[in-house]
Amino acid sequence: MTEALFELSLPISGMTCASCVSHVEGALKELPGTSNVVVNLGTNKANLLYDPQRIKLDDLRRAVEDVGYAITTSELTLDVRGMTCASCVDHVEGALKELRGIQAAVVNLGLGTARVVYVPGVVSTSAMKHAVREVGYEVQERSEGVDALDRERQAREEEIKRQGRNLILAGSIGLIVMIGTFYDMLGSLKVFVPEFLSYKWVIGLLTTPIVFGPGRQFFVNSWRGLKHGVTDMNLLYATGIGAAYGIAVINTLFPKAGFGGEGATFFESAALLTGFIILGRWLEALTRGRTSEAIRKLMKLQPKVARVIRNDKEEEIPADEVELGDVILVRPGESIAVDGQVFDGYSAVDESMLTGESLPVEKKAGDPVIGGTLNKTGAFKFKATRVGKDTSLAQIIKLVEDAQASKAPIQKLADWVAGHFILGVHLLAVVVFLFWFFYGYQMFFDPNSSFIMSPYKLGEIGVFGFSLLLSVTVLVISCPCAVGLATPSAMMAGTGKGAEFGVLFKGAEAIENTSKLQTIVFDKTGTLTKGEPSVTDVIPGHEWKVEDSNLAMTSWQIETVLRMAAIAEKNSEHPLGEAIVRGAQERGLQLVDPVSFNSIPGHGVEANAEGFDILLGNRKLMKERNVDFSKLISQAEALEADGKTVMFIGLNGQAAGLIAVADTLKEYSIEAVRHLHKMGLEVAMITGDNRRTAEAIARKVGIDQVLAEVLPQDKAEEVKKLQAQGKKVAMVGDGVNDAPALAQAEVGMAIGSGTDVAKETGDIILIKDDIRDVVVALEVARATMRKVKQNLFWAFFYNTLGIPLGAGLFYTFASVVISPEIAGLMMAISSISVTLNTLLLKGFKPSVGRGHNPKRGSGSTQLRPATASVGND
Amino acid sequence: MEHEMVEKEVAQKSMFIYLPISIGSALLFFLAATLTGDYPLVARIGGTIWVGLLTLIVSMPIVISRIKKQLHGKLQ
């Protein structure tokens, strides 16, 4: 056993003084297996010797963290080529994780990437690349943005071309081999085929370049892996093709060896098996690229140039050279280069590509613009506020990429199964061989039996040939390629689909958890409601008339009631007063300045304007001033029962009317909750409001459970209580005040965040302030998980059916066996069917209507005679 | 460098385990085929090679990863 001590240089963050140095030194020295610990404040590094037998790097990290510091880690994404299955994922991850200094390595088969968290200085990028190459894969460091897109596309195109070339070679020669093999069955068509093609040695000569040309990749890759102790699907293919070719050669050289005699060749098995496997690879390369289309679409949005005004001159510069504060001119039809704020001009901008909003959004001075969106009509200038990696588009791309690179729990299980499957299959191949060699052949062999879809009778085949064929077929038919593709391909398509509708999943786990939800808890203020009070009802006094007034009011003139109230509140800073002023302004009412104004704290205001004494306030104020509201009191109580705040207005000592103010529902709250109910979910609302107000809102929306009078800090506790009842809970909130509750829930959804996604907490970010996106998130997640389950079903179905078929289980009673080439075709079909099934997600459309563009805070109130009920009720 | 040296050591140590296992099982097959039935020589030799090859494929990764873990405590 080696007793080697390794030298380490760990980057430490958080040290500010000499005592920090001694803390870190002390913490590291205390650990068993460390020596020569020297911490340098200047370089922020801890140098030490450690014995990996006695202590792990993770222990060192924990020790440093325990004393309040951290070992700095970096993140890197590698593009890995040549991965075809879940076991490849295992190998690459395993190779990386074996390196000292790697904290985490997550490989995404669909994207062909490996995301690595590592300790700089302990492990180098070249060591990582070396390790990946050693286990048989090509690797390079991934670059950002458009460059990465180009490289990825280039790599994919190269792979498609390479497999395409292989396919043409294997397919065309394979066809000739096929024709030659079945020459005797061609009948009258024989005249078109030269007889020499049916000679065994000619067929052998034709097959050899297929096996060692296009088929060479399987031998090379499997050997590379094998010598590092890893097995992958290449090995299954290599043993399958190699054995079929070996049988054919032996049978040609020694016809009496027991492989079917003179009549059989088996070269066509080797040729067609290679051809079908390569067909599978080619189709996979073609279709796999399509599942990651969403991220490519996003990357394509990144504009390449920007028209910047510097020193009063307009110049075109690369978009990534735009600096903060630069003034950028955008003309109609041009893309917006970076995020910014409009200060001159007017236009409509199509933001659908990032937010999912179908209609263009108006932009005027002061409005924000998002990089990557498309200017439609006018020209405008804006100042850059976020550039480079900080732009919304860059953040969204990063988020979607991270999500696609993550693994759902179901995928981890599938990967584990597939990773261990190959060894199991080889063991099974030994068992099948031994069974048929020592027992099965003697017991069940029927010389008149044949392969499925083959003209051969197995008549002359001997015990070894028969057992070997079945053993090889098991190897080929068991390939778990479809299992490896089933989950990641669907997750990639699902996260991409979500992004298309402005729903950003932060990881594959978020999708899986979302699909299992049973209860959705909405925060009330700002989520279900607009979060600011507005006038909902105006009820004028029935018998109130002022004959001598220039107002010439009648009982139905509710605009006047609202206008007088707004005049009285014009100088008020109270939220209810502001709501009344805003309500009057939204209706275009002219508000003069009051002649006099007096605030009555806790009660209301009094003012004088246009010859009227205006008294506006609560019931108590009216009682004190002897204004008789007895005829309106029942209506006031009804409004209060609806959770609204009622303001009483008196003019010249008479009851002039009621104004109800409330936090109004967002435009689509009711629709969203209705959809959630249709999906079989329980909907709860959490709020700090009193129970009466909360229940009034809940009734309107159709909420099942009201959690009222909950302090902000207790929201997480309420979520926990629901979870304690065994429910899978999602919390929908604004992502800032609700952060603890969002974190506590199985799924936290931050709504209305806009495009500054990096700041958001929660597992799902809903870019738009449209509550229906909760439904979209659930539908996307459910559709994705449905695809995952269908894919896994089909993948395992092929293997479950194929393995007994390949192992000759049915031969015992039906006397038919499957040939290796048909096994190869079945496996190719299995991965293609899984990928094609995933591609069906491209047609996904959410059930909630998305044809129009709700303007935030628009909810303009409609005034009706008598009772003007406004908002969303 | 250090990593490569460890890898080399792993490869050497593992070989001394998986090769005897594979050869052993292949010989066992040959013996069983010779003793239990009237199998042609080609079948016995072919079977021996096939069993040896598959056992090698199964034992190699298992042994190598075990030795790796033993040798550098998973390197971390």
Side-chain angles (χ1 to χ4, degrees):
Chain A
M1 197 59 56
T2 34
E3 289 292 336
L5 287 179
F6 291 94
E7 199 177 322
L8 265 187
S9 179
L10 298 170
I12 308 286
S13 62
M15 295 192 299
T16 52
C17 60
S19 74
C20 302
V21 171
S22 67
H23 286 158
V24 177
E25 271 186 0
L28 292 171
K29 278 177 183 168
E30 271 177 17
L31 297 171
T34 59
S35 59
N36 296 12
V37 180
V38 180
V39 176
N40 186 320
L41 183 62
T43 56
N44 279 325
K45 280 192 173 162
N47 296 308
L48 66 149
L49 291 175
Y50 90 114
D51 179 0
Q53 295 277 19
R54 297 175 62 198
I55 191 158
K56 294 177 181 173
L57 189 61
D58 233 25
D59 300 324
L60 301 176
R61 182 182 57 77
R62 261 197 299 276
V64 173
E65 281 176 3
D66 282 348
V67 289
Y69 307 92
I71 294 179
T72 315
T73 55
S74 291
E75 220 177 295
L76 170 81
T77 304
L78 300 169
D79 282 319
V80 183
R81 286 173 59 196
M83 293 192 294
T84 52
C85 59
S87 63
C88 302
V89 172
D90 255 13
H91 301 154
V92 176
E93 279 182 359
L96 288 167
K97 282 176 183 168
E98 271 183 7
L99 296 173
R100 256 182 307 128
I102 300 289
Q103 297 267 293
V106 180
V107 170
N108 183 298
L109 177 64
L111 286 175
T113 58
R115 202 177 55 181
V116 188
V117 180
Y118 67 102
V119 182
V122 177
V123 61
S124 66
T125 315
S126 60
M128 293 180 219
K129 290 198 267 189
H130 180 74
V132 176
R133 281 192 197 110
E134 281 288 284
V135 286
Y137 305 93
E138 287 174 46
V139 62
Q140 63 189 8
E141 218 170 315
R142 170 168 266 214
S143 54
E144 299 291 327
V146 179
D147 188 26
L149 169 69
D150 292 342
R151 270 211 217 172
E152 192 240 346
R153 195 184 51 223
Q154 206 181 338
R156 201 174 296 282
E157 280 171 1
E158 268 174 31
E159 174 67 6
I160 292 169
K161 266 188 207 161
R162 191 168 72 97
Q163 296 301 358
R165 274 195 306 270
N166 285 336
L167 183 63
I168 290 169
L169 187 70
S172 52
I173 303 178
L175 192 68
I176 300 170
V177 169
M178 223 11 217
I179 292 169
T181 307
F182 299 116
Y183 180 79
D184 292 339
M185 297 172 196
L186 291 177
S188 55
L189 293 174
K190 271 185 186 172
V191 288
F192 301 107
V193 182
E195 198 187 344
F196 71 85
L197 284 181
S198 65
Y199 301 162
K200 257 191 203 178
W201 62 271
V202 174
I203 294 174
L205 276 179
L206 287 169
T207 304
T208 305
I210 300 179
V211 172
F212 296 105
R216 186 176 170 271
Q217 55 182 315
F218 307 121
F219 295 99
V220 172
N221 292 339
S222 57
W223 174 244
R224 266 192 212 157
L226 205 56
K227 69 181 180 182
H228 285 92
V230 292
T231 51
D232 63 4
M233 283 187 294
N234 288 305
L235 186 61
L236 292 177
Y237 295 145
T239 26
I241 296 168
Y245 184 76
I247 292 169
V249 171
I250 295 170
N251 193 49
T252 307
L253 298 176
F254 311 101
K256 290 192 174 21
F259 288 111
E262 292 284 356
T265 70
F266 290 107
F267 279 118
E268 86 284 358
S269 274
L272 293 180
L273 177 58
T274 314
F276 285 140
I277 292 168
I278 289 168
L279 172 73
R281 284 277 164 99
W282 178 71
L283 287 172
E284 223 176 276
L286 268 185
T287 49
R288 258 167 62 182
R290 301 212 175 132
T291 57
S292 60
E293 220 166 58
I295 196 85
R296 284 212 292 278
K297 269 188 196 166
L298 283 173
M299 283 176 170
K300 272 183 193 165
L301 291 177
Q302 290 181 322
K304 291 193 170 158
V305 290
R307 201 187 307 279
V308 178
I309 298 173
R310 284 178 182 165
N311 304 321
D312 291 332
K313 278 184 188 164
E314 201 181 296
E315 50 181 303
E316 229 171 60
I317 62 166
D320 52 10
E321 286 178 18
V322 174
E323 288 171 12
L324 278 179
D326 269 344
V327 172
I328 298 157
L329 172 69
V330 189
R331 296 198 173 123
E334 286 181 351
S335 285
I336 295 164
V338 294
D339 293 358
Q341 192 169 32
V342 178
F343 69 89
D344 185 25
Y346 175 86
S347 185
V349 173
D350 178 3
E351 294 183 346
S352 60
M353 55 290 277
L354 290 184
T355 65
E357 284 291 5
S358 54
L359 291 184
V361 180
E362 288 174 15
K363 297 289 175 187
K364 54 186 187 305
D367 286 342
V369 286
I370 315 167
T373 55
L374 185 69
N375 180 29
K376 302 289 275 189
T377 50
F380 62 88
K381 287 178 193 165
F382 74 94
K383 213 169 240 183
T385 53
R386 282 188 295 186
V387 297
K389 284 182 180 175
D390 298 326
T391 63
S392 304
L393 180 59
Q395 287 173 18
I396 290 171
I397 289 173
K398 171 96 174 50
L399 204 104
V400 177
E401 271 189 331
D402 287 352
Q404 293 190 337
S406 65
K407 274 185 192 176
I410 197 170
Q411 188 180 342
K412 287 177 190 162
L413 180 68
D415 281 358
W416 186 89
V417 172
H420 290 77
F421 200 65
I422 290 164
L423 269 191
V425 167
H426 278 90
L427 264 181
L428 184 67
V430 179
V431 173
V432 166
F433 179 79
L434 294 177
F435 171 81
W436 285 102
F437 191 92
F438 286 113
Y439 182 75
Y441 185 84
Q442 287 82 358
M443 289 299 293
F444 305 108
F445 183 71
D446 172 9
N448 292 316
S449 56
S450 61
F451 286 120
I452 292 173
M453 293 168 71
S454 167
Y456 285 145
K457 290 277 178 240
L458 295 171
E460 286 184 55
I461 204 159
V463 60
F464 174 57
F466 187 72
S467 312
L468 185 60
L469 273 173
L470 291 178
S471 181
V472 168
T473 307
V474 166
L475 288 178
V476 177
I477 212 162
S478 308
C479 177
C481 37
V483 178
L485 277 174
T487 312
S489 65
M491 286 296 175
M492 279 167 66
T495 44
K497 205 46 157 172
E500 209 176 283
F501 292 104
V503 175
L504 303 177
F505 292 92
K506 279 196 175 171
E509 196 167 351
I511 293 191
E512 190 170 339
N513 288 342
T514 305
S515 72
K516 294 176 185 164
L517 289 173
Q518 294 161 313
T519 304
I520 313 290
V521 181
F522 286 99
D523 175 46
K524 193 205 93 179
T525 310
T527 304
L528 281 175
T529 65
K530 287 173 188 161
E532 55 178 26
S534 55
V535 175
T536 59
D537 303 79
V538 180
I539 302 172
H542 293 290
E543 292 173 11
W544 180 70
K545 281 189 181 169
V546 184
E547 301 297 345
D548 298 330
S549 165
N550 55 0
L551 286 170
M553 284 189 192
T554 62
S555 65
W556 51 268
Q557 284 177 310
I558 55 178
E559 279 95 347
T560 312
V561 173
L562 182 61
R563 190 168 76 88
M564 296 312 289
I567 289 170
E569 290 281 14
K570 196 173 176 187
N571 299 314
S572 165
E573 286 178 358
H574 193 279
L576 294 179
E578 284 174 348
I580 291 173
V581 173
R582 206 169 40 245
Q585 284 168 340
E586 277 170 8
R587 289 162 185 80
L589 301 177
Q590 293 296 316
L591 304 181
V592 297
D593 285 329
V595 178
S596 66
F597 171 81
N598 179 35
S599 172
I600 309 161
H603 289 82
V605 293
E606 58 184 335
N608 186 281
E610 298 179 354
F612 280 92
D613 289 327
I614 310 166
L615 190 66
L616 182 70
N618 58 21
R619 201 179 308 190
K620 199 175 170 193
L621 178 67
M622 298 302 149
K623 210 171 183 181
E624 276 174 17
R625 301 293 177 94
N626 296 318
V627 184
D628 181 14
F629 270 88
S630 56
K631 288 183 178 167
L632 289 173
I633 212 74
S634 60
Q635 283 161 290
E637 280 169 357
L639 290 170
E640 281 169 347
D642 272 352
K644 295 169 183 173
T645 304
V646 180
M647 307 276 280
F648 296 77
I649 178 166
L651 291 178
N652 289 344
Q654 292 184 59
L658 306 172
I659 297 176
V661 174
D663 184 5
T664 50
L665 288 175
K666 281 188 184 168
E667 207 170 348
Y668 298 114
S669 297
I670 295 171
E671 187 187 345
V673 171
R674 198 175 56 234
H675 271 91
L676 291 172
H677 280 148
K678 263 191 207 166
M679 295 170 85
L681 291 150
E682 181 193 31
V683 184
M685 182 181 83
I686 199 164
T687 177
D689 289 357
N690 65 62
R691 182 152 288 277
R692 195 173 66 168
T693 308
E695 281 180 348
I697 293 273
R699 266 198 306 277
K700 277 186 199 168
V701 191
I703 301 284
D704 306 306
Q705 194 178 355
V706 179
L707 307 166
E709 294 162 26
V710 180
L711 296 172
Q713 62 269 28
D714 296 334
K715 285 181 181 172
E717 199 53 42
E718 291 295 324
V719 170
K720 216 184 265 180
K721 281 182 195 164
L722 288 171
Q723 289 170 322
Q725 294 168 25
K727 293 171 180 171
K728 302 269 180 211
V729 180
M731 171 77 199
V732 188
D734 59 19
V736 183
N737 302 325
D738 309 318
L742 292 182
Q744 174 61 41
E746 266 86 9
V747 176
M749 299 192 201
I751 191 167
S753 58
T755 44
D756 193 7
V757 296
K759 287 181 186 167
E760 286 304 331
T761 50
D763 308 293
I764 300 174
I765 293 170
L766 309 175
I767 293 178
K768 294 193 300 299
D769 192 17
D770 187 340
I771 199 167
R772 293 178 302 173
D773 283 346
V774 174
V775 179
V776 176
L778 279 152
E779 287 182 343
V780 169
R782 285 186 179 186
T784 306
M785 287 313 292
R786 240 190 334 266
K787 281 282 161 251
V788 167
K789 285 171 189 165
Q790 285 168 2
N791 286 350
L792 285 175
F793 169 79
W794 282 113
F796 281 114
F797 174 79
Y798 275 106
N799 282 346
T800 315
L801 185 78
I803 292 173
L805 198 63
L809 192 71
F810 301 129
Y811 188 81
T812 53
F813 51 88
S815 291
V816 282
V817 279
I818 195 162
S819 59
E821 65 266 31
I822 298 297
L825 181 64
M826 271 183 76
M827 283 305 100
I829 292 171
S830 79
S831 13
I832 302 308
S833 58
V834 157
T835 320
L836 287 178
N837 186 42
T838 295
L839 287 179
L840 292 178
L841 255 187
K842 284 178 82 176
F844 169 85
K845 291 234 158 46
S847 65
V848 282
R850 323 206 39 94
H852 57 292
N853 183 18
K855 277 187 190 161
R856 198 175 180 181
S858 60
S860 61
T861 52
Q862 305 280 319
L863 297 179
R864 282 178 247 142
T867 297
S869 194
V870 292
N872 301 289
D873 45 350
Chain B
M1 273 311 267
E2 170 201 300
H3 181 73
E4 279 171 24
M5 277 169 64
V6 176
E7 285 290 308
K8 208 175 261 178
E9 199 179 340
V10 169
Q12 281 171 354
K13 285 199 170 180
S14 314
M15 202 169 65
F16 285 114
I17 302 172
Y18 64 71
L19 273 185
I21 292 175
S22 315
I23 294 168
S25 49
L27 289 177
L28 203 67
F29 172 85
F30 186 81
L31 212 65
T34 309
L35 296 176
T36 59
D38 188 19
Y39 294 104
L41 186 66
V42 176
R44 278 182 285 155
I45 293 175
T48 302
I49 294 171
W50 185 242
V51 169
L53 181 71
L54 289 184
T55 319
L56 181 78
I57 289 171
V58 172
S59 59
M60 255 179 101
I62 295 173
V63 172
I64 290 175
S65 61
R66 281 273 167 100
I67 297 289
K68 253 185 200 173
K69 273 181 195 165
Q70 273 180 14
L71 259 186
H72 35 88
K74 274 179 98 183
L75 279 172
Q76 282 187 28

